[in-house]
Amino acid sequence: MNAPQRLGLYGGGLAALFVASFAVAGAVVPEASVVAWSAAAEAGGASGSDDGSDDMEMSGGGHGDAGGESGEEPAGAHGSGGTGPAPVRGLSLEQDGLLLSPVTVPDEVGERGTLSFSITSADGAAVTEFATEHDKELHLVVVRSDGERFRHVHPTMSADGVWSMPWTWDEAGTYRVLADFVPEATGENLTLGRTVDVAGDLDARPATAVSASDTTGGYTATLTGDLSASGESTLTATVTRDGEPVTDLEPYLGAFGHLVALRAGDLAYLHVHPEGDEPAPGAASGPDVTFMTEAPTPGRYLLYLDFKVDGDVHTARFVLDTEGRG
Ligand SMILES: [Cu+2]
């Protein structure tokens, strides 16, 4: 099974299947509902599944609170007696009046081209002022719907607000493009997402097995700790090489590693922050890097750790279920 098949952009049974599989995520959480829930959260209102307890331990205080009663964290919101799930991000192409424009990419696998987009305001004008967070003004995550392909990159912005970088697709499929940034005007962290389809031979890998360890570029990274949907979780990544602890991890994006966590099924983007202060340039650490996060719902999550050794960035991939889930 899983013989490679030709995937036309919008043609072919497999393409329909692929689109359908992605549409499931949309069906479970229609974009309109997401917007509505976001609006309810902003208003501090309760809508059952989202009670507006949306402070996720954001650094600097200006991060994540979608307006309204910002900064007022309900007591116990992070404890086991938490009042509800953390908010999810990245499911909408619009939030707080800002829009992720259509993303221009090469249409087919192997075609060399450019990935580009803008963040625009309601009147269509491109936003050009962004605050730096984790060393960059904008973080871009591009992930295939099955989680098997992942890139975390940093395009550059032109004076007129067009973000771009050279781009070539290695594999066909349906991808989410997630832009994570803080507009200077509001200081509020946003993650906006778009879906793009890439034509080519598709070898879909629908089964995603739980895995807390991954070897890449000769380095093995292992995640320990339980991911919880009922409070904040501590996850520790340990990096080894040939069985020996790696103690010369280099600072990367304001920490000794960068962890992206996505919910399997809809690729909702979780807020993750590293424990500890930002390392000084030239500092070294390891083999452990600790992160804090909170799963918005019980279930399966895809996690990607970027770490830097000897000047090279490596990405390890993990799949975790929330604790207590068999
Ligand atoms: Cu980044």
Side-chain angles (χ1 to χ4, degrees):
M1 52 192 286
N2 280 346
Q5 299 181 42
R6 185 70 191 166
L7 171 63
L9 255 186
Y10 294 104
L14 190 60
L17 181 66
F18 215 114
V19 169
S21 71
F22 213 88
V24 169
V28 171
V29 185
E31 204 145 76
S33 300
V34 173
V35 172
W37 295 346
S38 301
E42 286 166 30
S47 63
S49 63
D50 187 332
D51 63 5
S53 60
D54 60 350
D55 184 342
M56 293 169 61
E57 294 281 344
M58 304 305 181
S59 55
H63 180 146
D65 257 313
E69 303 158 348
S70 49
E72 295 301 318
E73 177 187 338
H78 293 151
S80 54
T83 52
V88 294
R89 307 195 285 164
L91 295 178
S92 176
L93 57 83
E94 178 276 336
Q95 190 183 331
D96 297 352
L98 294 181
L99 193 82
L100 172 59
S101 76
V103 181
T104 300
V105 287
D107 289 334
E108 294 193 29
V109 166
E111 178 186 336
R112 287 166 184 261
T114 300
L115 180 152
S116 66
F117 60 90
S118 293
I119 305 299
T120 65
S121 54
D123 62 5
V127 176
T128 57
E129 302 290 328
F130 295 85
T132 297
E133 189 181 50
H134 300 308
D135 273 357
K136 301 288 179 181
E137 290 189 323
L138 185 142
H139 301 264
L140 193 73
V141 164
V142 180
V143 59
R144 199 166 73 174
S145 60
D146 62 359
E148 292 283 344
R149 308 296 301 180
F150 172 91
R151 289 183 72 185
H152 171 187
V153 292
H154 304 102
T156 54
M157 188 184 70
S158 67
D160 57 353
V162 178
W163 294 89
S164 67
M165 64 183 296
W167 198 264
T168 306
W169 299 103
D170 293 331
E171 292 197 34
T174 296
Y175 289 78
R176 284 294 281 177
V177 177
L178 300 161
D180 182 356
F181 57 92
V182 178
E184 196 77 71
T186 63
E188 306 285 354
N189 180 235
L190 291 178
T191 307
L192 304 178
R194 283 258 185 190
T195 300
V196 299
D197 293 305
V198 181
D201 292 332
L202 177 64
D203 181 12
R205 281 157 265 180
T208 301
V210 170
S211 168
S213 188
D214 189 26
T215 297
T216 173
Y219 295 92
T220 298
T222 303
L223 267 191
T224 52
D226 288 323
L227 183 59
S228 172
S230 56
E232 198 166 48
S233 315
T234 300
L235 297 173
T236 299
T238 303
V239 181
T240 59
R241 184 182 179 92
D242 300 328
E244 298 295 321
V246 171
T247 56
D248 55 351
L249 295 175
E250 297 166 16
Y252 181 62
L253 302 176
F256 286 109
H258 189 88
L259 187 68
V260 168
L262 305 171
R263 181 166 61 186
D266 65 1
L267 303 178
Y269 189 92
L270 278 57
H271 179 75
V272 180
H273 64 274
E275 194 175 71
D277 296 331
E278 182 164 336
S285 186
D288 294 339
V289 191
T290 298
F291 300 92
M292 313 291 285
T293 192
E294 179 174 357
T297 52
R300 181 158 295 181
Y301 290 83
L302 313 171
L303 301 100
Y304 304 86
L305 172 73
D306 295 320
F307 60 96
K308 190 175 180 183
V309 190
D310 280 342
D312 291 325
V313 176
H314 304 274
T315 303
R317 178 185 169 217
F318 315 96
V319 180
L320 296 184
D321 285 341
T322 50
E323 60 181 348
R325 178 186 158 96

PDB file of all heavy atoms in Angstrom, residues 17 39 59 63 68 82 87 91 109 114 165 168 171 196 215 219 221 234 238 324:
ATOM      1  N   LEU A  17      -8.976  12.692  -1.453  1.00  0.00           N
ATOM      2  CA  LEU A  17      -8.847  12.101  -0.127  1.00  0.00           C
ATOM      3  C   LEU A  17      -8.030  13.013   0.774  1.00  0.00           C
ATOM      4  O   LEU A  17      -8.365  13.248   1.931  1.00  0.00           O
ATOM      5  CB  LEU A  17      -8.162  10.736  -0.248  1.00  0.00           C
ATOM      6  CG  LEU A  17      -7.965   9.967   1.056  1.00  0.00           C
ATOM      7  CD1 LEU A  17      -9.326   9.568   1.620  1.00  0.00           C
ATOM      8  CD2 LEU A  17      -7.121   8.722   0.815  1.00  0.00           C
ATOM      9  N   ALA A  39     -13.344  35.504  19.463  1.00  0.00           N
ATOM     10  CA  ALA A  39     -14.024  36.733  19.841  1.00  0.00           C
ATOM     11  C   ALA A  39     -14.582  36.611  21.250  1.00  0.00           C
ATOM     12  O   ALA A  39     -14.492  37.532  22.056  1.00  0.00           O
ATOM     13  CB  ALA A  39     -15.148  37.031  18.851  1.00  0.00           C
ATOM     14  N   SER A  59       5.750  35.591  28.088  1.00  0.00           N
ATOM     15  CA  SER A  59       6.837  36.405  28.590  1.00  0.00           C
ATOM     16  C   SER A  59       6.552  37.865  28.294  1.00  0.00           C
ATOM     17  O   SER A  59       5.933  38.203  27.296  1.00  0.00           O
ATOM     18  CB  SER A  59       8.139  35.980  27.921  1.00  0.00           C
ATOM     19  OG  SER A  59       7.990  36.049  26.518  1.00  0.00           O
ATOM     20  N   HIS A  63       1.960  39.390  25.614  1.00  0.00           N
ATOM     21  CA  HIS A  63       2.081  38.296  24.674  1.00  0.00           C
ATOM     22  C   HIS A  63       0.897  37.369  24.883  1.00  0.00           C
ATOM     23  O   HIS A  63       0.719  36.836  25.946  1.00  0.00           O
ATOM     24  CB  HIS A  63       3.405  37.645  25.043  1.00  0.00           C
ATOM     25  CG  HIS A  63       3.805  36.483  24.242  1.00  0.00           C
ATOM     26  ND1 HIS A  63       5.100  36.215  23.958  1.00  0.00           N
ATOM     27  CD2 HIS A  63       3.100  35.506  23.680  1.00  0.00           C
ATOM     28  CE1 HIS A  63       5.185  35.114  23.253  1.00  0.00           C
ATOM     29  NE2 HIS A  63       3.982  34.659  23.079  1.00  0.00           N
ATOM     30  N   GLY A  68      -8.946  42.846  25.840  1.00  0.00           N
ATOM     31  CA  GLY A  68      -9.887  42.647  26.938  1.00  0.00           C
ATOM     32  C   GLY A  68      -9.188  42.693  28.273  1.00  0.00           C
ATOM     33  O   GLY A  68      -8.405  43.587  28.541  1.00  0.00           O
ATOM     34  N   GLY A  82      -7.506  23.631  36.737  1.00  0.00           N
ATOM     35  CA  GLY A  82      -7.644  24.706  35.753  1.00  0.00           C
ATOM     36  C   GLY A  82      -9.069  24.867  35.286  1.00  0.00           C
ATOM     37  O   GLY A  82      -9.857  23.925  35.284  1.00  0.00           O
ATOM     38  N   PRO A  87      -5.950  28.512  24.980  1.00  0.00           N
ATOM     39  CA  PRO A  87      -6.414  28.829  23.629  1.00  0.00           C
ATOM     40  C   PRO A  87      -5.526  28.178  22.581  1.00  0.00           C
ATOM     41  O   PRO A  87      -4.373  27.896  22.828  1.00  0.00           O
ATOM     42  CB  PRO A  87      -6.289  30.344  23.561  1.00  0.00           C
ATOM     43  CG  PRO A  87      -5.205  30.663  24.528  1.00  0.00           C
ATOM     44  CD  PRO A  87      -5.324  29.655  25.629  1.00  0.00           C
ATOM     45  N   LEU A  91      -5.089  28.573  13.708  1.00  0.00           N
ATOM     46  CA  LEU A  91      -6.154  27.920  12.936  1.00  0.00           C
ATOM     47  C   LEU A  91      -6.841  28.878  11.987  1.00  0.00           C
ATOM     48  O   LEU A  91      -7.610  28.467  11.131  1.00  0.00           O
ATOM     49  CB  LEU A  91      -7.184  27.308  13.886  1.00  0.00           C
ATOM     50  CG  LEU A  91      -6.665  26.174  14.758  1.00  0.00           C
ATOM     51  CD1 LEU A  91      -7.754  25.679  15.697  1.00  0.00           C
ATOM     52  CD2 LEU A  91      -6.156  25.028  13.889  1.00  0.00           C
ATOM     53  N   VAL A 109       6.491  20.008  -6.611  1.00  0.00           N
ATOM     54  CA  VAL A 109       7.714  19.497  -6.003  1.00  0.00           C
ATOM     55  C   VAL A 109       8.904  19.725  -6.934  1.00  0.00           C
ATOM     56  O   VAL A 109       8.797  19.519  -8.145  1.00  0.00           O
ATOM     57  CB  VAL A 109       7.554  17.988  -5.710  1.00  0.00           C
ATOM     58  CG1 VAL A 109       8.902  17.336  -5.388  1.00  0.00           C
ATOM     59  CG2 VAL A 109       6.578  17.777  -4.573  1.00  0.00           C
ATOM     60  N   THR A 114      10.084  31.024  -4.908  1.00  0.00           N
ATOM     61  CA  THR A 114      10.100  31.897  -3.742  1.00  0.00           C
ATOM     62  C   THR A 114       8.818  31.704  -2.956  1.00  0.00           C
ATOM     63  O   THR A 114       7.745  31.574  -3.543  1.00  0.00           O
ATOM     64  CB  THR A 114      10.200  33.369  -4.192  1.00  0.00           C
ATOM     65  OG1 THR A 114      11.401  33.533  -4.944  1.00  0.00           O
ATOM     66  CG2 THR A 114      10.227  34.315  -3.003  1.00  0.00           C
ATOM     67  N   MET A 165      11.496  34.312   0.954  1.00  0.00           N
ATOM     68  CA  MET A 165      12.733  33.536   0.987  1.00  0.00           C
ATOM     69  C   MET A 165      12.686  32.525  -0.153  1.00  0.00           C
ATOM     70  O   MET A 165      11.613  32.169  -0.634  1.00  0.00           O
ATOM     71  CB  MET A 165      12.904  32.831   2.335  1.00  0.00           C
ATOM     72  CG  MET A 165      11.843  31.786   2.640  1.00  0.00           C
ATOM     73  SD  MET A 165      12.076  31.077   4.298  1.00  0.00           S
ATOM     74  CE  MET A 165      13.663  30.280   4.103  1.00  0.00           C
ATOM     75  N   THR A 168      11.821  25.629  -2.187  1.00  0.00           N
ATOM     76  CA  THR A 168      11.601  24.458  -3.035  1.00  0.00           C
ATOM     77  C   THR A 168      10.955  23.383  -2.175  1.00  0.00           C
ATOM     78  O   THR A 168      11.397  23.139  -1.047  1.00  0.00           O
ATOM     79  CB  THR A 168      12.936  23.913  -3.601  1.00  0.00           C
ATOM     80  OG1 THR A 168      13.630  24.967  -4.269  1.00  0.00           O
ATOM     81  CG2 THR A 168      12.687  22.780  -4.586  1.00  0.00           C
ATOM     82  N   GLU A 171       8.487  17.417  -1.053  1.00  0.00           N
ATOM     83  CA  GLU A 171       7.440  16.407  -1.182  1.00  0.00           C
ATOM     84  C   GLU A 171       6.086  17.068  -1.379  1.00  0.00           C
ATOM     85  O   GLU A 171       5.835  18.166  -0.870  1.00  0.00           O
ATOM     86  CB  GLU A 171       7.386  15.505   0.057  1.00  0.00           C
ATOM     87  CG  GLU A 171       8.603  14.607   0.198  1.00  0.00           C
ATOM     88  CD  GLU A 171       8.369  13.450   1.161  1.00  0.00           C
ATOM     89  OE1 GLU A 171       7.236  12.941   1.220  1.00  0.00           O
ATOM     90  OE2 GLU A 171       9.331  13.082   1.852  1.00  0.00           O
ATOM     91  N   VAL A 196      -1.726  25.437   1.896  1.00  0.00           N
ATOM     92  CA  VAL A 196      -1.329  25.405   0.487  1.00  0.00           C
ATOM     93  C   VAL A 196      -1.182  23.948   0.031  1.00  0.00           C
ATOM     94  O   VAL A 196      -0.832  23.082   0.829  1.00  0.00           O
ATOM     95  CB  VAL A 196      -0.003  26.172   0.225  1.00  0.00           C
ATOM     96  CG1 VAL A 196      -0.144  27.630   0.603  1.00  0.00           C
ATOM     97  CG2 VAL A 196       1.156  25.539   0.967  1.00  0.00           C
ATOM     98  N   THR A 215      16.613  10.638  16.146  1.00  0.00           N
ATOM     99  CA  THR A 215      18.024  10.816  15.828  1.00  0.00           C
ATOM    100  C   THR A 215      18.138  11.549  14.502  1.00  0.00           C
ATOM    101  O   THR A 215      17.518  11.174  13.513  1.00  0.00           O
ATOM    102  CB  THR A 215      18.736   9.451  15.743  1.00  0.00           C
ATOM    103  OG1 THR A 215      18.670   8.827  17.024  1.00  0.00           O
ATOM    104  CG2 THR A 215      20.202   9.640  15.357  1.00  0.00           C
ATOM    105  N   TYR A 219      22.863  13.150  16.071  1.00  0.00           N
ATOM    106  CA  TYR A 219      22.456  13.509  17.435  1.00  0.00           C
ATOM    107  C   TYR A 219      21.113  12.870  17.753  1.00  0.00           C
ATOM    108  O   TYR A 219      20.220  12.831  16.896  1.00  0.00           O
ATOM    109  CB  TYR A 219      22.335  15.027  17.586  1.00  0.00           C
ATOM    110  CG  TYR A 219      23.656  15.736  17.421  1.00  0.00           C
ATOM    111  CD1 TYR A 219      24.062  16.217  16.172  1.00  0.00           C
ATOM    112  CD2 TYR A 219      24.507  15.905  18.504  1.00  0.00           C
ATOM    113  CE1 TYR A 219      25.277  16.841  16.001  1.00  0.00           C
ATOM    114  CE2 TYR A 219      25.738  16.529  18.352  1.00  0.00           C
ATOM    115  CZ  TYR A 219      26.119  16.993  17.094  1.00  0.00           C
ATOM    116  OH  TYR A 219      27.334  17.608  16.950  1.00  0.00           O
ATOM    117  N   ALA A 221      17.869  13.159  20.242  1.00  0.00           N
ATOM    118  CA  ALA A 221      17.156  13.994  21.210  1.00  0.00           C
ATOM    119  C   ALA A 221      16.003  13.181  21.782  1.00  0.00           C
ATOM    120  O   ALA A 221      15.282  12.504  21.044  1.00  0.00           O
ATOM    121  CB  ALA A 221      16.632  15.260  20.534  1.00  0.00           C
ATOM    122  N   THR A 234       6.007  20.415  31.957  1.00  0.00           N
ATOM    123  CA  THR A 234       7.434  20.625  31.778  1.00  0.00           C
ATOM    124  C   THR A 234       7.974  19.488  30.923  1.00  0.00           C
ATOM    125  O   THR A 234       7.812  18.320  31.261  1.00  0.00           O
ATOM    126  CB  THR A 234       8.160  20.634  33.141  1.00  0.00           C
ATOM    127  OG1 THR A 234       7.627  21.693  33.929  1.00  0.00           O
ATOM    128  CG2 THR A 234       9.652  20.842  32.953  1.00  0.00           C
ATOM    129  N   THR A 238      16.729  16.033  25.993  1.00  0.00           N
ATOM    130  CA  THR A 238      18.101  15.655  26.302  1.00  0.00           C
ATOM    131  C   THR A 238      18.784  15.243  24.999  1.00  0.00           C
ATOM    132  O   THR A 238      18.268  14.393  24.271  1.00  0.00           O
ATOM    133  CB  THR A 238      18.129  14.491  27.310  1.00  0.00           C
ATOM    134  OG1 THR A 238      17.415  14.881  28.483  1.00  0.00           O
ATOM    135  CG2 THR A 238      19.561  14.131  27.679  1.00  0.00           C
ATOM    136  N   GLY A 324      -2.290  10.129  30.460  1.00  0.00           N
ATOM    137  CA  GLY A 324      -3.539   9.464  30.785  1.00  0.00           C
ATOM    138  C   GLY A 324      -4.309   9.017  29.570  1.00  0.00           C
ATOM    139  O   GLY A 324      -5.377   8.434  29.683  1.00  0.00           O
TER     140      GLY A 324
END
